[in-house]
Amino acid sequence: MKIRKRHIIILGLVGVLLFLSYRWTSEPSETVDLVVIGAGASGMSAALEAEAAGVNVILLEKMPYVGGNTVRATAGMNAVETEAQKEAGISDDVEIFVGDILESGHSEGNPRMIEIMARESSSALDWLTAKGADLSDVGILAGHSKPRTHRPSGGQPVGGEIVKVLKRSIDDSTVDLRLEHKAVQIMVDHDRVISGVGVVDKTGRKYTIHTKKVIIATGGFGGSPEVFVYYNQKLKGYHTTNSPSATGDFIGLVEDLDVKLVDMSYIQTHPTVSPEYGVLITEAIRGNGGILINNSGKRFANEMKNRDFLSEDLLSQPGKEVYLLFNETVRESLAASDDYINMDLIHSAPDVETLANTLRIDTHSLNETIDRYNGFVESQNDLDFGRRSLTVTLDEGPFYAVKVTPAVHYCMGGMLIDDNARIIGEDGNPISGLYAAGEATAGIHGLNRLGGNSLLDAIVFGRIAGRSAVE
Ligand SMILES: Cc1cc2nc3c(=O)[nH]c(=O)nc-3n(C[C@H](O)[C@H](O)[C@H](O)COP(=O)(O)OP(=O)(O)OC[C@H]3O[C@@H](n4cnc5c(N)ncnc54)[C@H](O)[C@@H]3O)c2cc1C
């Protein structure tokens, strides 16, 4: 028989069909004690705690690398009554911290969850330190009444440090970390009991992991404009500081599980983000002495206000963009600021006059603003805006300025959890076998989150979720 072109095409099509049917029907499966979805701070902490209690854990991560939004964190992680605070002579405690968190969240936060987070903060810090993290530098961020934000010495970014030690611990453990394996479904049996997780790997292969326990640690949805605008129309057109991994996958995963999603429209904007590139300029620059000036060279707000109020003040300025200004003393105190200089985001000048010319701001006005602010630092009394943290006079050059505007930063909304990190159902009861932690959860911070509290939340409730799932 003569083989015609037609036959070759038919044979080819049959081959493709056989290959596809193999892919979709074979669906290999396996069984494990616990599946953790998402390898950011919360997921890695959960997986490590569960593994330490002796169970088999599979940790799924959809990206080719771990770290999600966690690795982007710069300013630090909050903790009170720590060794570093004691060494620096800072008197602070759980009660003061809880008070600051409640105030920042407009009293809509959950006092019980906040209390747990604050109480567990020093042990969370010790846990990371024991794994090799350097969190010895303590600074103050906006909305805090005390310096309690911990980061590596010299003011290095905190996220990379935390991800480094957690990943190293995962590698040293029996946790089965699977990169580029995306969880696409959480399965239940006919009694509506959790029975497994549907996964798609990087080759497109679909498979099922049978398990009775799942921890969802997929982070927030601030990386997806489509999703954040769906929940809060006011954010249309906003840039985001988030990783492209933060697409709110938890929403689809729990869609059919009667999970209670709350506060989904509570989305925090961060006031100081570079408008051109969406790079977050860490709050620690203000904490260490930076000020904000508008296009007329004037301060317009207490730079240490909570993020929501400061974002509003900033958006009422002409052009909705302002400059964050600091000097050499601030730069030297914070290694992270060199990253922005290396990224070419910063205008630098040897003196105020040159800086004013570069920014096309009236020199007299800028000089007047800086002199007045320096006077406030000397008298420790900000007569204009009541800023309490007045640490550095901006008198020694070089001077630095970066243009900033608010961008979407953090999702306060998500799955409601209880103090054992169990996910709460629509009926108000915990759903058996289902746990969550980190930015995918809700009901802790209230209307606004204090800087440095997200990492704390992720580590504290990640650890709790890991232990809880094993009990
Ligand atoms: C620029 C920036 C700076 C910040 N600075 C600070 C700071 O200084 N201090 C502070 O406290 N907080 C800070 N935050 C907030 C904080 O980093 C995050 O809220 C926190 O790290 C969230 O941790 P997480 O574990 O919940 O989520 P993530 O770290 O985002 O991890 C979630 C992981 O889940 C994975 N995933 C998602 N869906 C799936 C799926 N379907 N299957 C498998 N894997 C999935 C993601 O790829 C990701 O790796 C900052 C955030 C940003 C964006």
Side-chain angles (χ1 to χ4, degrees):
M1 190 182 77
K2 233 169 125 186
I3 295 180
R4 294 174 197 274
K5 202 170 157 196
R6 201 155 39 109
H7 291 129
I8 295 174
I9 293 173
I10 291 169
L11 278 173
L13 280 174
V14 170
V16 168
L17 283 173
L18 280 173
F19 175 71
L20 284 178
S21 68
Y22 165 75
R23 275 281 177 81
W24 292 97
T25 54
S26 66
E27 278 198 27
S29 63
E30 59 196 309
T31 302
V32 74
D33 296 326
L34 170 69
V35 175
V36 180
I37 309 174
S42 57
M44 288 196 279
S45 303
L48 287 169
E49 286 291 49
E51 191 257 3
V55 301
N56 299 321
V57 184
I58 292 177
L59 173 58
L60 299 171
E61 170 53 56
K62 70 176 176 181
M63 304 298 276
Y65 44 83
V66 300
N69 266 350
T70 305
V71 81
R72 297 189 167 215
T74 313
M77 177 177 125
N78 300 328
V80 291
E81 300 172 19
T82 65
E83 283 309 311
Q85 272 190 323
K86 282 175 204 154
E87 270 170 34
I90 299 159
S91 98
D92 191 12
D93 61 32
V94 169
E95 206 179 322
I96 304 173
F97 187 22
V98 168
D100 285 354
I101 302 173
L102 285 170
E103 191 185 327
S104 142
H106 302 229
S107 301
E108 282 205 29
N110 180 325
R112 182 160 166 70
M113 299 294 270
I114 289 171
E115 165 94 28
I116 292 172
M117 196 168 73
R119 203 168 4 92
E120 294 292 318
S121 64
S122 66
S123 81
L125 194 104
D126 290 346
W127 186 69
L128 291 168
T129 307
K131 293 188 179 307
D134 167 15
L135 296 167
S136 55
D137 187 62
V138 192
I140 188 163
L141 296 184
H144 291 269
S145 59
K146 304 277 180 180
R148 57 171 76 102
T149 308
H150 296 66
R151 53 180 87 105
S153 56
Q156 296 282 352
V158 68
E161 182 75 2
I162 290 182
V163 168
K164 181 183 76 187
V165 300
L166 290 178
K167 171 70 167 56
R168 197 164 57 205
S169 298
I170 293 280
D171 290 343
D172 291 344
S173 74
T174 63
V175 172
D176 180 357
L177 168 65
R178 299 185 182 179
L179 297 176
E180 293 183 272
H181 285 240
K182 179 176 177 174
V184 290
Q185 193 187 358
I186 295 175
M187 294 150 176
V188 286
D189 63 18
H190 49 271
D191 293 325
R192 311 265 322 139
V193 174
I194 301 299
S195 62
V197 178
V199 187
V200 176
D201 75 10
K202 66 176 168 187
T203 69
R205 183 182 65 116
K206 259 176 72 171
Y207 67 99
T208 301
I209 305 172
H210 297 290
T211 185
K212 290 189 165 39
K213 306 223 166 148
V214 178
I215 298 176
I216 306 176
T218 52
F221 50 92
S224 168
E226 205 186 342
V227 184
F228 67 66
V229 172
Y230 173 81
Y231 286 108
N232 189 335
Q233 312 277 313
K234 284 191 211 143
L235 298 172
K236 198 167 179 193
Y238 269 65
H239 281 293
T240 175
T241 64
N242 280 207
S243 154
S245 63
T247 47
D249 290 18
F250 70 87
I251 303 167
L253 287 170
V254 301
E255 202 175 11
D256 300 324
L257 302 178
D258 300 324
V259 166
K260 192 161 181 161
L261 298 183
V262 297
D263 303 343
M264 295 296 278
S265 64
Y266 293 2
I267 298 168
Q268 180 181 72
T269 56
H270 192 292
T272 58
V273 179
S274 148
E276 288 95 354
Y277 309 102
V279 175
L280 180 141
I281 311 297
T282 177
E283 203 161 75
I285 291 197
R286 279 174 282 139
N288 285 17
I291 61 170
L292 291 169
I293 52 158
N294 61 20
N295 294 338
S296 309
K298 300 284 179 209
R299 285 177 72 214
F300 56 90
N302 170 358
E303 294 84 356
M304 298 300 282
K305 254 184 182 178
N306 279 323
R307 289 173 179 175
D308 49 350
F309 291 130
L310 189 57
S311 292
E312 273 172 31
D313 288 342
L314 198 155
L315 289 172
S316 68
Q317 298 307 303
K320 301 181 180 187
E321 292 175 356
V322 301
Y323 287 102
L324 171 60
L325 188 149
F326 56 103
N327 73 344
E328 187 66 4
T329 318
V330 178
R331 188 196 72 77
E332 279 175 355
S333 70
L334 208 66
S337 51
D338 286 340
D339 293 344
Y340 311 128
I341 294 172
N342 294 336
M343 282 183 223
D344 228 8
L345 296 175
I346 308 261
H347 300 281
S348 57
D351 49 52
V352 176
E353 287 70 26
T354 317
L355 188 71
N357 287 335
T358 312
L359 305 181
R360 296 174 196 273
I361 287 177
D362 179 62
T363 309
H364 174 72
S365 172
L366 188 57
N367 261 321
E368 202 177 58
T369 299
I370 292 178
D371 286 349
R372 190 168 169 77
Y373 177 75
N374 287 343
F376 295 158
V377 176
E378 269 153 25
S379 63
Q380 286 294 293
N381 188 8
D382 177 1
L383 294 171
D384 291 342
F385 302 108
R387 173 173 172 161
R388 279 183 295 180
S389 163
L390 296 159
T391 45
V392 172
T393 46
L394 301 172
D395 44 8
E396 299 267 340
F399 290 87
Y400 304 93
V402 52
K403 195 183 266 186
V404 290
T405 195
V408 164
H409 185 56
Y410 180 80
C411 303
M412 273 79 69
M415 298 168 288
L416 194 63
I417 54 167
D418 69 5
D419 49 8
N420 286 314
R422 295 178 299 182
I423 297 181
I424 302 299
E426 289 287 2
D427 63 0
N429 294 316
I431 299 175
S432 178
L434 212 47
Y435 308 80
E439 201 174 332
T441 67
I444 299 174
H445 307 275
L447 253 179
N448 182 56
R449 169 183 71 80
L450 270 183
N453 264 0
S454 175
L455 291 173
L456 177 61
D457 168 355
I459 303 283
V460 167
F461 287 102
R463 295 182 69 200
I464 290 176
R467 293 194 294 256
S468 218
V470 172
E471 275 162 15

